Amino acid sequence: MGEHPSPGPAVAACAEAERIEELEPEAEERPPAAPEDHWKVLFDQFDPGNTGYISTGKFRSLLESHSSKLDPHKREVLLALADSHADGQICYQDFVNLGSTETPILILRPTVCPAQMSNKRSNSFRQAILQGNRRLCSKALLEEKGLNLSQRLIRHVAYETLPREIDRKWYYDSYTCCPPPWFMITVTLLEVAFFLYNGVSLDQFVLQVTHPRYLKNTLVYHPQLRAQAWRYLTYIFMHAGIEHLGLNVVLQLLVGVPLEMVHGATRIGLVYVAGVVAGSLAVSVADMTAPVVGSSGGVYALVSAHLANIVMNWSGMKCQFKLLRMAVALICMSMEFGRAVWLRFHPSAYPPCPHPSFVAHLGGVAVGITLGVVVLRNYEQRLQDQSLWWIFVTMYTVFVLFAVFWNIFAYSLLDLKLPPPP
């Protein structure tokens, strides 16, 4: 996608300095000042003339006096910062620029602990400091000028999906489009290909599901064939008609591709597949006599996770027309869901078997606002280190196990009259 002219390694440094922690003097030296004045008091001890500068030697002495409280990684980064000042002086404002005026003791704390931190991000930050030829700037990414089309696209994606300016700058500076968002594109192409194949073989493209031979396809989930486990996943390649396919494709391309560009195929694929499986299992529990077709479970998982992330981080989301974008997404989802509800209760073309269920949509939404929100919120962090992640994974696993046992025992115990096999 090309190299970016303006932020460079400095934005990677900005990303590493997202969080800061306060370093206080020893108890006997602690001045009776407000917490936000502690660093200023320490700094002034080495700057009796109130020049706003101290020598790098004095700065090193200050670090040494508090070395017992410093993480080795943090101490290494700060010493590298001192070495980068060729003029031999360090300005107090340099530290303020690295963090927040409310917490002026700026000992850098990564968003995750050093052992868990991305090596790429850590090394980029260290290199940015050692070079010493760029200073961290507070200019928002939106204010960058002279960007070409691809750079503007990457910036747009960053503002659409990430709530924090630091993460936006880091993503903008590090994104290379290698690999491209292959997962969502591949899934979409396969869905379109299967739809066209079925359209030609059935000689029907609108409301294909009303065709007598439609359910004979080995990819459709059917309650009588629920023992064939692949059907809980492969039903996404069968759609009720071109109107069904069209809405799903639009949503997963407009929402899924940008999310994959930011979070990667592994995370987005996880949310998508979890929504698909949850959708078919939810139907097998709540709408036991109906078949399932369409990718709505996975699509709704992605879209609901994205919308929930926007709502939870409303003040940080700086994308333009965010209300309009949310409204458009909700309207598309409502239209597709309304179509599914209407079709479910519409008289079937083959009376023994009802039309496909709409419950898969609800299963996808449930996955999106639980598992999906955690995946999208923890940008560039290891999910396995997040407690909330494990809570939702446990909940999802319990649901899957419950649905499996339900499919094994409940159908016979409830003595349901299922439609005949296709």
Side-chain angles (χ1 to χ4, degrees), residues 306-318:
H306 179 53
L307 295 182
N309 192 47
I310 292 177
V311 172
M312 293 171 61
N313 300 281
W314 186 260
S315 61
M317 301 301 292
K318 303 299 183 182

Side-chain angles (χ1 to χ4, degrees), residues 130-146:
L130 290 174
Q131 285 178 7
N133 59 354
R134 295 196 181 189
R135 297 295 181 91
L136 296 178
C137 63
S138 59
K139 182 168 64 173
L141 185 58
L142 269 179
E143 299 173 13
E144 299 290 347
K145 305 297 183 182

